[in-house]
Amino acid sequence: MKTIICGSGDVGYSIADKLSKEKFEVTVVDEPSEKLNKISDNLDVKVVKGLPSLPSVLMNAGAKDCEILIAVTKSDETNMIACQIGHSLFEIPKKIARIRQQDYLRGEWQNLYTKNDLPIDAIISPEQEVANAFHRRIISPGTIDMVELSEKQLKLIGFKCDNNCHHIGLTVRELSAKFPDYLANILFIFRGDKKFIVNSSSKIEKDDLIYMVVETQNLKDVLREFGHKEVLAQKIVIIGGGNIGFSLAELIEKNDNGISTELIEMNKERAEFIASNLNNVTVTNGDGLDNQILDEVNIAEAGYCLAVTEDDEVNVLASLLAKRAGTNQCMALINNSSYTSLLSNIGIDITIDPKLITISKILEKVRGGGIMSDYSLGDGFGEVIEAMIKKQSPLCNKNLKELNLPKSIRIASILRDNKIIIPNSNTVFKENDDVVFFLVIQYINTLEKLLSSYSFMPNL
């Protein structure tokens, strides 16, 4: 499938890398830069130098027979214009744009993004997606990761197996036999530097980071069985009032979980804006690295401190100060992925990389074969994919024994007739089944071919 990526930053690089490995025919377009040269030197893609919003540049990139345009430059306006030109001049079927400016995304302007006005098929707002990621973790205490799937009847969760877990040493088979009434399925484990898909004989060890799917109504019971009895935080402190901090505070306010929220923002004008636009959030104008300010917001009483400024170093230091002051858990926004593996060792409980979230959402829009959601895990180790089984799919009306799937593709669950099924080798896939898969990234092509006999067709 011919794809043009406008933008050679970290997100553009990662998407180009993933899609080229999946045999997409990728062209990256951007103005000359070291980042564009890096893509040319390291990836099996074509590179075109020039402003991505110029018709002649897109023409040189092959826009006439392009099937997907992904606009992820630093400029929202360039991304929007590239999509408009891709539609009006070249009739590109699918156009995806990253848009950061929240004013473009306000509800009253949504009619702008139509085929006859500004034809963007999918808009990705990194700030909103990151705020959602933080919020999911807040409302699922005991987890370090949580994603809702299958019409919210299923949750993908990640949690640490610590000293409070009473099942260390048991195999997956023994756990299943011990708790037959729980609809849950362990998919994979991170153990130190190792990442592996489990099988029935895999044993649970102390400090394992376990990822599983679990029926929503069983979530609290399953977490409790693994030693996690944490309760919803009563107080949260957000450090940083940018788009992410504001969106997160707004989410907490709208969900009305009874959480007391304090927000610290350095810029006085921005602090005043936030205070005037949120009703139940206490806003303090000050430095999140100032111990006096942290004392003023009673950081010691916070269940969570969320550091979401635009500066990784500030987020790390603010989290450490909050932890030292007595905050129960700290989450930090980290743009530099090379920091991530170090931070858990120095006391930061959860880190969130906005690039990975943005990439996951874009890939979700690119995938074919009836794929509805796509979530990357473990720094690119694998992906959790939710998809609908189509009548023409090779999976339809067959069971796992007949399919003989690679071990690197796991079937996590099936939603059928509004009920969750944890499949076994005799479970037969049916048309319109909502299925959650986990797979090692190298097998995405295999899965797409299984999901649709029209592999790689745009899912418009």
Side-chain angles (χ1 to χ4, degrees):
M1 179 177 286
K2 293 186 178 181
T3 303
I4 293 175
I5 299 172
C6 300
S8 58
D10 292 338
V11 170
Y13 183 102
S14 296
I15 295 170
D17 185 27
K18 283 180 176 287
L19 295 184
S20 63
K21 288 176 179 175
E22 295 173 24
K23 309 305 180 185
F24 280 61
E25 187 178 328
V26 177
T27 301
V28 179
V29 181
D30 209 346
E31 295 182 279
S33 67
E34 288 187 10
K35 289 188 174 181
L36 193 63
N37 292 336
K38 181 182 176 184
I39 289 175
S40 179
D41 293 341
N42 296 326
L43 303 183
D44 184 21
V45 303
K46 181 182 176 182
V47 165
V48 172
K49 295 180 180 180
L51 185 63
S53 57
L54 292 178
S56 59
V57 174
L58 290 177
M59 170 78 88
N60 291 338
K64 273 192 171 181
D65 55 358
C66 171
E67 293 162 274
I68 301 177
L69 185 144
I70 304 170
V72 289
T73 73
K74 291 181 179 180
S75 166
D76 289 349
E77 291 73 19
T78 298
N79 294 340
M80 291 189 284
I81 292 170
C83 289
Q84 180 71 69
I85 291 171
H87 172 81
S88 300
L89 298 184
F90 303 111
E91 298 181 348
I92 296 175
K94 181 180 280 190
K95 299 157 292 292
I96 302 167
R98 178 177 64 181
I99 298 179
R100 287 198 166 108
Q101 173 54 254
Q102 297 301 296
D103 195 61
Y104 287 129
L105 305 174
R106 287 167 55 180
E108 57 263 45
W109 315 138
Q110 289 305 301
N111 289 336
L112 173 65
Y113 305 106
T114 63
K115 190 172 184 179
N116 295 324
D117 294 302
L118 189 52
I120 303 174
D121 301 292
I123 293 173
I124 308 299
S125 169
E127 286 78 8
Q128 191 61 56
E129 296 297 340
V130 170
N132 289 337
F134 275 108
H135 187 251
R136 288 196 301 266
R137 287 156 175 81
I138 290 169
I139 62 174
S140 53
T143 70
I144 65 164
D145 210 347
M146 189 275 278
V147 180
E148 293 181 316
L149 300 164
S150 300
E151 300 177 5
K152 298 188 177 181
Q153 294 192 49
L154 191 78
K155 286 183 169 59
L156 165 70
I157 59 171
F159 60 88
K160 190 80 173 285
C161 191
D162 56 23
N163 290 325
N164 295 320
C165 177
H166 302 301
H167 306 307
I168 291 171
L170 294 183
T171 64
V172 171
R173 183 187 296 110
E174 289 167 336
L175 279 169
S176 298
K178 192 172 183 178
F179 304 106
D181 296 330
Y182 290 157
L183 289 176
N185 192 359
I186 298 176
L187 300 178
F188 62 101
I189 292 175
F190 293 177
R191 183 174 293 160
D193 294 330
K194 296 179 180 178
K195 305 177 179 73
F196 60 93
I197 295 176
V198 303
N199 55 45
S200 59
S201 60
S202 299
K203 285 188 176 182
I204 305 300
E205 294 186 7
K206 183 178 175 296
D207 295 328
D208 278 353
L209 176 53
I210 296 174
Y211 276 83
M212 66 161 60
V213 291
V214 55
E215 191 173 28
T216 298
Q217 65 184 33
N218 294 149
L219 176 62
K220 289 183 179 179
D221 291 335
V222 168
L223 284 171
R224 193 178 296 115
E225 291 294 348
F226 281 91
H228 288 283
K229 300 178 182 179
E230 296 89 339
V231 297
L232 193 69
Q234 298 300 302
K235 178 183 174 69
I236 288 172
V237 174
I238 300 170
I239 298 175
N243 287 333
I244 293 172
F246 177 78
S247 296
L248 177 56
E250 192 174 39
L251 274 173
I252 296 169
E253 184 175 271
K254 285 180 178 177
N255 280 269
D256 192 24
N257 289 316
I259 299 172
S260 170
T261 307
E262 303 254 2
L263 188 148
I264 301 171
E265 167 55 36
M266 173 82 81
N267 182 280
K268 184 177 180 181
E269 185 178 346
R270 180 65 178 176
E272 291 172 348
F273 168 82
I274 295 168
S276 63
N277 282 276
L278 295 174
N279 298 318
N280 300 319
V281 176
T282 302
V283 181
T284 300
N285 176 215
D287 186 353
L289 298 179
D290 186 334
N291 282 316
Q292 187 175 343
I293 295 293
L294 295 178
D295 289 341
E296 188 177 323
V297 300
N298 296 316
I299 194 75
E301 298 177 2
Y304 285 108
C305 173
L306 311 168
V308 294
T309 76
E310 295 180 354
D311 188 313
D312 285 359
E313 285 74 16
V314 169
N315 293 339
V316 170
L317 292 172
S319 298
L320 294 177
L321 287 172
K323 196 79 170 183
R324 188 178 68 178
T327 299
N328 188 30
Q329 281 205 313
C330 291
M331 300 189 207
L333 182 73
I334 301 296
N335 289 281
N336 188 338
S337 54
S338 61
Y339 288 175
T340 305
S341 59
L342 304 173
L343 297 180
S344 61
N345 297 325
I346 61 174
I348 297 177
D349 302 286
I350 298 172
T351 59
I352 291 182
D353 184 341
K355 293 192 301 296
L356 294 180
I357 292 172
T358 303
I359 292 162
S360 286
K361 294 305 294 184
I362 290 173
L363 291 176
E364 182 180 302
K365 306 301 181 183
V366 169
R367 304 293 192 205
I371 290 175
M372 298 180 291
S373 61
D374 186 326
Y375 190 74
S376 294
L377 294 166
D379 296 331
F381 166 66
E383 296 190 26
V384 171
I385 287 177
E386 181 182 0
M388 188 73 71
I389 300 298
K390 297 179 179 180
K391 186 177 182 179
Q392 70 269 25
S393 166
L395 294 171
C396 195
N397 297 320
K398 293 183 181 177
N399 63 30
L400 292 175
K401 282 182 181 177
E402 296 174 285
L403 291 166
N404 195 26
L405 292 176
K407 292 182 179 179
S408 294
I409 298 178
R410 283 287 307 275
I411 311 299
S413 64
I414 299 171
L415 177 65
R416 178 186 298 160
D417 298 329
N418 212 34
K419 292 182 179 179
I420 296 293
I421 300 168
I422 301 299
N424 57 42
S425 59
N426 295 313
T427 303
V428 176
F429 292 102
K430 295 184 179 180
E431 184 181 356
N432 296 326
D433 276 354
D434 180 340
V435 182
V436 176
F437 300 85
F438 173 75
L439 62 152
V440 176
I441 188 64
Q442 290 88 340
Y443 285 84
I444 184 67
N445 281 352
T446 302
L447 180 60
E448 283 194 313
K449 290 173 183 177
L450 286 169
L451 288 170
S452 175
S453 59
Y454 305 104
S455 184
F456 303 133
M457 286 294 290
N459 184 25
L460 296 177

